[in-house]
Amino acid sequence: MIDPLSVSAVAGVLGAVGSAMAGEAGKWAWESIGNLAQRVTGRQLALPDGPEEREELARLLVEGGHRDPAQARALAAWLNGLAEGETKAPDEAPRLLPASTRYFTDRKGPLAALDREAGRKADGRPRQVLLHGPDGIGTSAVAIHWGGREAHRFPDGQLYADLRAAGPQGAADPATVLRRFLQKLGVPADRMPATVEDRAERYAQLLAGRRLLVVLDHARSAAQVRPLLTAAPGVVTVVTARRPLAGLDALNVPVGPLADKDARRLLTDLAGKHAVGAAKAALPGVLERCAGSPFALRAAAPVLGDSAPRAVAGPFPVDPVQAANADRYARLAVNTALVYRSCSLRRWPAIGSAAAAAASGLTEAEAVEALAELADAGLLETALDGRHRYRPAVRRHAEALAVQEDGLAACAGAVRRTVEHYLRLAVGADHAALPQRWHLGPLYAEIGPDRYPGEAEALAVLGAELPNLVEAVAAAEEFAAPELVCQLVEALWAVQLKAGRHDELLPALRAGARAAADARTAARMHVQLALALTELQEYGEAEQQLELAADAERAVGHLRGQATAVETLGLLRLRQWRYTEALACFEQAAALLDGIGADGVGQADLPRARALLDRHRGRALRGAGRFEEARAAIERAVGYFRGTGEAYNTARALTDLAQTLVDQGHGPQALPLLDEAGVLLERGGAVFHLMPIAVLRSLCVNEDE
């Protein structure tokens, strides 16, 4: 329980709410703290900036609690509700490490080095090992094999991340990796820190007393892994990379090619004694060609006795991995080879059958067959969800072949078809996940929201495909297709509003703001970017984006869009606890809507737009202490959204109404509203917004007591 009369305890919760929450739940919590501060102190306070100002605010709250026992009880209820569940112990220790390969040969030196680092006496130095070696040499296999063998050392689990898995330039963003790690360590999505710095701090706190292994596979730079490192004495971090990483203070352990006897042993394990014996005459050439690379040896094992011609004649290529790729490619069926080339032209984080069909021009059934053959040949890796991805060296080989065999025009066509596939997928899912909102672009009318059984299912698809969608935006921008960029970004609204993940979306949103050509689209992109920047606490840049949006809409006389930009500025002011200014923005937006004539653009959307403004007005009025006016405005919004069956906004307005009732001391009246809102949000998959309901319900219970 949080002591409401302890300045340090209150400051700690303020810090968590201010910097360790993202998305709508975080926005609600921060606004609520502002409302609470105003009620306790009797005046509107400025948004605290930094630990010193948070401590001063905590002191004011504590002093208010000393003066009034009722305020102390309210403060305790709020703080405990906000702090509760910040981290929930996972049901079991995370075990993310992949299974080791069955046939693991030699590597006594690297394994011994790992043993020594893990077993040395704690002396304040972090336990960090960098395994490095050329592509295909087996650094990942060493880390995974050792982690599996030594699992008993780590009772609190194993964390694993493939740092090439997604993101710009094929490198995973540290913020994304930290999000996944924190979730596995028990941090709920609605309590996820917004920035990489705050996530790294929370990560270090959670690991401080644990005995745990962290494997960071395929790192590209020290900067990529630095936020993921910890000095916790019970944690061993193993990083793998193709080369030593300058600036990484870790024990460097090189992993080299297998010795000839170990290469023979691996071939024998993989192919069997009979096959190795039958290929005795060719064996020296195979070993020379593979050059001690486990990847190349695994490629050679299934075809040791194959008399088919080699893909590369003459002197062996210097790179054994590329030689193995060439050998495997030479044996592919025509359709399979086409899929291999077509899907390699971008760093798609995960390749499914529909995307492969779009890239290659084949049917989806043909693409399914081709992907299975590529996985069997070792040219694609298969994830747990059944989708596929390339190793970087394999993708480079496939991409070079695509340019050579298909030509640049065909390659560009394959990329565009894939981008258009993801666009249609995103538009359909976005429409189904938020069917009533104002949509921009003709595809929404063409595709419609009927491909999914419900909003939750559509939102789940958007979440699963988000890395591919961000890559599709990057591809569209690179191919100078601004209309595709903007339509893709427009289709990210639902996942942005309902699931957060603003840090992952930010590169795509910035691309949308750069790409927009006409004023209306530009305004839309600026507003969408501003919303993410607000959640990431980049308030100054968010305000600049909103000013650009308003200017663009004003220039073309689009009152509906101008009202949206002004309304969004009001939402930013709510986040900043500037309630009077927020209310002025909402009133200005309402006046702009009133100026839209019977035949004006956006006229059909006016009832819904006014209902949203009523909800936001109510929030600003509540923050200003004008509770009766707030209640009346929010009740109008609830009535509208209930009448139209818009579950998501009904639930949000019900939550606001319940909070207003709680603030007025009518907790029992709020409980049925919270129950209704919770059901609607769960049904729609918007679990990101359930935290406010849990906090408000605890306040109602506290009031009854």
Side-chain angles (χ1 to χ4, degrees), residues 304-396:
L304 265 183
D306 196 337
S307 59
R310 289 289 182 182
V312 181
F316 298 141
V318 174
D319 186 346
V321 172
Q322 293 306 323
N325 292 335
D327 287 345
R328 288 169 166 174
Y329 178 74
R331 295 177 171 84
L332 296 178
V334 173
N335 280 353
T336 306
L338 176 61
V339 169
Y340 177 69
R341 300 191 305 271
S342 301
C343 293
S344 71
L345 297 165
R346 298 293 303 184
R347 296 180 178 89
W348 302 114
I351 302 166
S353 57
S360 61
L362 300 174
T363 67
E364 189 164 352
E366 291 170 327
V368 168
E369 185 176 344
L371 290 172
E373 184 181 345
L374 289 169
D376 289 343
L379 288 169
L380 286 180
E381 298 174 338
T382 305
L384 293 177
D385 64 2
R387 293 185 296 174
H388 305 276
R389 67 182 179 194
Y390 293 91
R391 293 174 63 97
V394 176
R395 194 191 72 81
R396 290 194 297 272

Side-chain angles (χ1 to χ4, degrees), residues 196-326:
V196 67
E197 293 81 8
D198 288 330
R199 289 181 189 179
E201 181 180 344
R202 191 77 187 99
Y203 177 66
Q205 292 170 349
L206 289 175
L207 294 192
R210 304 195 189 205
R211 294 169 59 196
L212 187 137
L213 172 66
V214 180
V215 176
L216 305 174
D217 210 1
H218 304 110
R220 293 180 62 124
S221 68
Q224 187 188 21
V225 301
R226 197 168 288 120
L228 305 165
L229 301 177
T230 174
V235 175
V236 175
T237 303
V238 181
V239 181
T240 76
R242 294 181 63 184
R243 63 187 187 284
L245 300 180
L248 183 62
D249 188 14
L251 175 66
N252 277 271
V253 178
V255 178
L258 293 174
D260 190 66
K261 65 180 180 63
D262 294 312
R264 287 174 182 269
R265 177 184 166 189
L266 181 57
L267 271 179
T268 303
D269 288 341
L270 293 166
K273 291 183 179 179
H274 178 76
V276 171
K280 184 177 180 180
L283 196 58
V286 171
L287 293 173
E288 183 179 356
R289 185 180 186 83
C290 293
S293 164
F295 179 86
L297 290 162
R298 289 178 179 278
V303 293
L304 265 183
D306 196 337
S307 59
R310 289 289 182 182
V312 181
F316 298 141
V318 174
D319 186 346
V321 172
Q322 293 306 323
N325 292 335

Side-chain angles (χ1 to χ4, degrees), residues 473-474 477-478 482 485-486 489 506-517 521-522 525-526 529 545:
V473 172
E477 183 177 36
E478 186 175 315
V485 171
C486 295
V489 172
L506 197 59
L509 301 180
R510 289 195 185 282
R514 288 192 298 267
T521 303
M525 297 295 102
H526 288 308
L529 174 56
Q545 293 295 324

